[in-house]
Amino acid sequence: MNKENLTPYNSPENDPWTTLREFTAARIALGRTGVSEPLHQSLQFKLAHAHARDAVFSQLNSTELANRISSVIALPVLSVKSQVSNRPEYLQRPDLGRKLHEASVQQLKDLPAASPDIAIMLADGLSATAINQHAVPVLQKLVPALQKSRISLAPITIVEYGRVAISDEIGFLLRAKLALILIGERPGLSSPDSMGAYFTFNPQPGLTDESRNCLSNIRPTGLAYQVAADKLFYLLQQALQLKLSGVLLKDNFSLLE
Amino acid sequence: MSYQHTIRQHTYSFPDLKFLMAKASPYRSGDVLAGLAALTYEERVAAQFCLADVPLKAFLNEALIPYEADEITRLIIDCHNAEAFERISYFTTGELRDWLLSEAADTLSLSQVAPGLTPEMVAAVSKLMRNQDLILVAQKCEVITKFRNTIGLKGRLATRLQPNHPTDDLKGIAASMLDGLLYGSGDAVIGINPASDRPATVIQLLEMLDYVRQQFAIPTQSCVLCHVTTALEIIEQQAPVDLIFQSIGGTEKTNQSFGVNLALLQEAYEAALALKRGTLGNNVMYFETGQGSALSANAHAGVDQQTCEVRAYAVARHFQPLLVNSVVGFIGPEYLYNGKQIIRAALEDHFCAKVLGLPMGVDVCYTNHADADQDDMDNLLTLLGVAGCNFVMGVPGADDIMLHYQSTSFHDALYVRKVLGLRPAPEFEQWLQQQGIMDSTGQLLQAGANHPLLKKAF
């Protein structure tokens, strides 16, 4: 037993390997008091978890989103709902989050007939915060590029309590060749605001994951807005040209750089 | 065969054993999602009364998933040990529950009976038990396995050191690994979930792990948790593979969704045995399971979530694994909604596996969209410690930066060892003492900047 162990108190943050932190974002060299985590570390963890939980229970700012979209993009905006009626149900019944509410189905059926190339949707998913923050900046870069290439667009649809696959039903009802949904991803402790983008060619109810393509981690500290928009623009064009999506559509975007 | 139970004037009917098992299950969101759960509290208890009267022999005669349609049913029936079953063959499910809790069922008799039990019998009996029953019986079981150390001895709790990194960066992983070792973690296995299943990446990671293990003569084993086909491929390239890892489920179709079947697992098992890398024993497999995977793969065949999970243990048992663990809270709230459901499921998984004779550990964990937090994990970890769980995870600060979920930290493992007087695997404990990381009373020592692990590693 050396002298060090006899001292009544060691600073909790006294791991001599703090320099190893430069190699990883993992929570290493936290120090200890007895065998327990020092308070500061414990509260930091709690805070990150609080952010993630708040993100799960965050609400889409549908009205504000619609206003912002109309002010920067010349497209009409629709608001629809899934068959889910509250957040706990959303979390337990992914099947209901994949289906449109009856009234929303009617709302889309009542629209004047059109066959756009792409239908774009925004859904809260597991982090409405992600959509509230990142959807408009990405649309602002993506939509003008699509319009410039004479790709026709359906009205933008804002979906409350939506899961990814609801985009297939919406795209189908809007008679779009391709459905693109921007949706809040499952929040991690360091990323409560990550946005994902999924698209399917020839959308229809009942499609499964292998017919979909995905871009994830869209946020300023992840996949930046401009890069995400460029990549999506490239992939959407490819999908329309090749008339397919999913496992058969390879992402060769970086080869062009 | 139809099953019935009457409460007051209401007779509840259950058309078959599969239906009865589902209705008797404690409430969980996955069974509701599958449309299998009891509709009322009373219906659930009626099903439990009814299940209690089912003779154990009925489980040998009425397969929940047909023998012809599912290779796991065939494995369960074909490998059933009639001799071991003899002693309990006249029991009903309810009588089995009472026997398991009795003094007559001690560590030795439990291990003798284990090969005679089928997953369905054990799942059924767990549905009749409270949490304390699950803990009490599991605590009597002892399942010991060996590779380079001895895991599962009573009074011991091992940890899997899990130094994941989102880009498989070698230095990042090594940094987390050193952190874990200096906190006394890593006796179950030093195991990385790779971000990429590329054979070249997996080999690189394995070589790094093997180098560190050999350089410091650590009596443990390493594993990169790649797909079994990748493991087979890299064994051919002479990669230093200690353990073969695979996620498994309880139906043939679930395993198909994981890209495996029994023949492939057998091939991998034999390949790993042939390497003869174990020094103390030949348990070379590492399996992960978890309730909900069958439903998630749309492969549950109308069988409830927990029974599907226990059927996966029949697959595991066939290959004499070193380690099995249920990744209990990883699957998300549509299967296990909150802390209460996660804790119940973990205790069921641990109990069922132990009674079947498996070296069970648990990844005490949750995702951020589940209604759970570290307090729930503290509760579960403590309960599992009391129940004699073989191992838990050791993740830096409980936050896995690759898999984006929360598990148990190095500190958490030290906590549960301390409050329950549990010790690491004996060979690893000795190494920790030699390295000046832990003293002979199990207390963690203050490692200085000159510690060999820190000086040599970078």
Side-chain angles (χ1 to χ4, degrees):
Chain A
M1 180 91 26
N2 60 31
K3 210 173 164 189
E4 220 178 352
N5 294 315
L6 300 174
T7 54
Y9 183 77
N10 284 329
S11 156
E13 276 92 5
N14 58 355
D15 290 342
W17 56 94
T18 49
T19 51
L20 296 187
R21 281 195 200 149
E22 70 179 277
F23 300 114
T24 178
R27 293 169 198 260
I28 63 167
L30 299 183
R32 60 190 176 90
T33 170
V35 298
S36 304
E37 266 178 37
L39 176 65
H40 182 69
Q41 309 292 354
S42 176
L43 288 177
Q44 285 293 342
F45 183 99
K46 250 188 174 168
L47 180 62
H49 184 244
H51 288 154
R53 288 300 286 162
D54 285 340
V56 170
F57 283 87
S58 58
Q59 298 281 333
L60 273 180
N61 297 331
S62 301
T63 320
E64 197 197 317
L65 272 173
N67 290 339
R68 279 166 64 203
I69 292 169
S70 326
S71 70
V72 295
I73 303 162
L75 279 177
V77 182
L78 304 168
S79 279
V80 298
K81 272 185 180 168
S82 76
Q83 293 183 3
V84 169
S85 47
N86 56 52
R87 189 56 57 179
E89 186 179 52
Y90 179 82
L91 293 171
Q92 290 172 82
R93 296 296 302 271
D95 52 334
L96 299 181
R98 293 185 196 116
K99 291 182 201 131
L100 270 181
H101 190 275
E102 219 174 295
S104 296
V105 173
Q106 202 52 49
Q107 185 188 347
L108 296 185
K109 280 186 174 165
D110 289 346
L111 288 175
S115 298
D117 292 317
I118 302 180
I120 301 180
M121 302 138 227
L122 314 179
D124 41 10
L126 289 165
S127 169
T129 304
I131 299 302
N132 291 336
Q133 291 177 0
H134 309 318
V136 176
V138 170
L139 289 180
Q140 215 172 340
K141 297 179 192 307
L142 175 65
V143 170
L146 292 170
Q147 287 170 331
K148 213 171 150 191
S149 304
R150 298 176 184 275
I151 290 171
S152 62
L153 296 172
I156 303 233
T157 320
I158 298 176
V159 195
E160 204 183 339
Y161 297 132
R163 295 267 174 180
V164 170
I166 203 169
S167 61
D168 294 327
E169 187 180 4
I170 297 173
F172 179 74
L173 289 168
L174 292 172
R175 300 186 191 83
K177 292 195 182 95
L178 194 147
L180 166 69
I181 187 166
L182 304 181
I183 188 165
E185 289 177 354
R186 191 173 115 171
L189 278 196
S190 55
S191 55
D193 63 337
S194 227
M195 183 170 83
Y198 295 79
F199 65 86
T200 35
F201 186 80
N202 198 11
Q204 47 193 305
L207 292 179
T208 47
D209 287 345
E210 70 272 13
S211 53
R212 250 181 270 290
N213 292 80
C214 166
L215 265 195
S216 69
N217 198 25
I218 302 170
R219 57 192 177 110
T221 47
L223 190 62
Y225 297 148
Q226 187 67 57
V227 184
D230 289 348
K231 213 166 169 159
L232 275 174
F233 177 62
Y234 165 81
L235 287 169
L236 294 171
Q237 269 187 321
Q238 287 285 303
L240 285 172
Q241 254 175 38
L242 302 170
K243 300 193 191 317
L244 53 84
S245 63
V247 287
L248 295 172
L249 181 67
K250 299 298 175 204
D251 178 7
N252 291 323
F253 174 70
S254 49
L255 299 181
L256 300 179
E257 287 174 324
Chain B
M1 188 179 157
S2 163
Y3 301 86
Q4 286 189 347
H5 187 78
T6 303
I7 293 176
R8 282 174 272 182
Q9 264 76 53
H10 193 300
T11 298
Y12 288 93
S13 285
F14 308 98
D16 56 27
L17 204 44
K18 176 165 79 173
F19 194 79
L20 177 64
M21 296 270 278
K23 293 289 184 181
S25 255
Y27 179 90
R28 66 204 51 191
S29 46
D31 289 333
V32 177
L33 182 62
L36 299 172
L39 297 177
T40 63
Y41 286 90
E42 188 177 86
E43 187 187 22
R44 176 168 297 110
V45 182
Q48 290 170 352
F49 270 111
C50 190
L51 186 58
D53 290 337
V54 174
L56 290 186
K57 281 178 183 156
F59 292 95
L60 296 174
N61 299 323
E62 188 182 342
L64 271 55
I65 303 177
Y67 184 90
E68 302 72 28
D70 188 286
E71 67 171 0
I72 296 171
T73 303
R74 292 197 288 277
L75 178 77
I76 292 166
I77 299 297
D78 296 349
C79 295
H80 182 247
N81 185 324
E83 202 182 319
F85 183 63
E86 189 58 38
R87 180 171 179 182
I88 51 166
S89 59
Y90 57 90
F91 281 164
T92 60
T93 310
E95 286 164 348
L96 176 63
R97 181 262 181 198
D98 287 347
W99 180 77
L100 287 170
L101 289 163
S102 75
E103 308 294 346
D106 56 14
T107 303
L108 180 66
S109 54
L110 282 168
S111 69
Q112 287 167 343
V113 160
L117 289 166
T118 67
E120 287 83 357
M121 293 173 194
V122 177
V125 82
S126 78
K127 293 174 198 294
L128 306 179
M129 290 179 141
R130 289 170 52 189
N131 283 3
Q132 66 162 276
D133 303 340
L134 299 172
I135 293 169
L136 195 156
V137 177
Q139 192 266 340
K140 293 195 280 188
C141 298
E142 187 179 44
V143 182
I144 300 164
T145 54
K146 295 177 184 188
F147 191 76
R148 286 197 198 96
N149 55 22
T150 312
I151 296 166
L153 291 163
K154 283 200 175 175
R156 308 268 173 177
L157 176 77
T159 57
R160 166 183 162 199
L161 173 46
Q162 184 173 302
N164 294 344
H165 189 277
T167 60
D168 292 330
D169 180 76
L170 287 178
K171 282 191 171 170
I173 286 171
S176 291
M177 181 163 54
L178 285 176
D179 193 56
L181 289 169
L182 289 165
Y183 281 122
S185 184
D187 39 355
V189 60
I190 302 178
I192 302 168
N193 295 91
S196 156
D197 205 67
R198 271 181 62 222
T201 308
V202 176
I203 293 175
Q204 207 179 23
L205 291 170
L206 276 171
E207 283 175 348
M208 190 270 283
L209 291 178
D210 206 50
Y211 172 78
V212 175
R213 179 185 65 78
Q214 293 204 41
Q215 191 180 22
F216 298 105
I218 313 174
T220 189
Q221 36 284 331
S222 66
C223 185
V224 174
L225 284 68
C226 61
H227 193 262
V228 67
T229 50
T230 309
L232 276 168
E233 189 180 330
I234 63 172
I235 282 176
E236 276 185 21
Q237 297 176 44
Q238 267 84 50
V241 174
D242 286 348
L243 306 180
I244 301 265
F245 167 82
Q246 185 55 48
S247 292
I248 53 169
T251 70
E252 185 177 331
K253 271 180 79 182
T254 309
N255 283 327
Q256 243 168 44
S257 82
F258 290 138
V260 298
N261 54 43
L262 294 174
L264 183 61
L265 292 173
Q266 183 69 35
E267 188 187 340
Y269 177 53
E270 285 166 16
L273 280 180
L275 297 175
K276 295 191 167 60
R277 289 173 59 86
T279 50
L280 295 183
N282 270 326
N283 301 111
V284 294
M285 303 298 277
Y286 175 10
F287 293 115
E288 274 187 3
T289 67
Q291 293 190 22
S293 64
L295 176 58
S296 165
N298 198 20
H300 63 299
V303 175
D304 70 85
Q305 173 167 310
Q306 189 248 348
T307 304
C308 281
E309 166 73 6
V310 186
R311 282 170 53 97
Y313 305 158
V315 177
R317 182 161 70 167
H318 193 60
F319 299 104
Q320 298 165 41
L322 180 77
L323 311 162
V324 182
N325 73 282
S326 163
V327 194
V328 66
F330 190 74
I331 187 130
E334 62 266 46
Y335 306 96
L336 296 169
Y337 183 64
N338 53 19
K340 183 179 174 71
Q341 290 187 19
I342 293 171
I343 288 169
R344 171 73 199 184
L347 294 177
E348 287 167 354
D349 294 353
H350 178 253
F351 160 86
C352 291
K354 279 288 176 64
V355 169
L356 286 169
L358 282 172
M360 197 65 173
V362 177
D363 190 345
V364 175
C365 66
Y366 64 105
T367 59
N368 287 314
H369 57 318
D371 181 17
D373 61 21
Q374 293 306 115
D375 287 336
D376 296 301
M377 299 301 103
D378 291 345
N379 293 347
L380 177 54
L381 176 63
T382 311
L383 296 175
L384 285 168
V386 175
C389 188
N390 278 28
F391 69 103
V392 295
M393 302 297 131
V395 176
D399 173 17
D400 191 301
I401 57 168
M402 201 296 264
L403 295 168
H404 295 298
Y405 79 122
Q406 289 79 249
S407 180
T408 45
S409 68
F410 306 133
H411 298 73
D412 293 334
L414 291 169
Y415 146 78
V416 77
R417 279 176 180 164
K418 192 177 179 92
V419 291
L420 296 174
L422 301 170
R423 296 153 62 188
E427 302 82 0
F428 192 77
E429 180 182 44
Q430 205 181 6
W431 179 81
L432 289 172
Q433 289 171 10
Q434 283 163 2
Q435 297 288 316
I437 295 172
M438 191 179 269
D439 71 13
S440 57
T441 69
Q443 188 174 322
L444 208 65
L445 299 171
Q446 201 67 53
N450 287 331
H451 195 280
L453 243 59
L454 292 171
K455 278 185 82 175
K456 267 201 206 165
F458 278 83

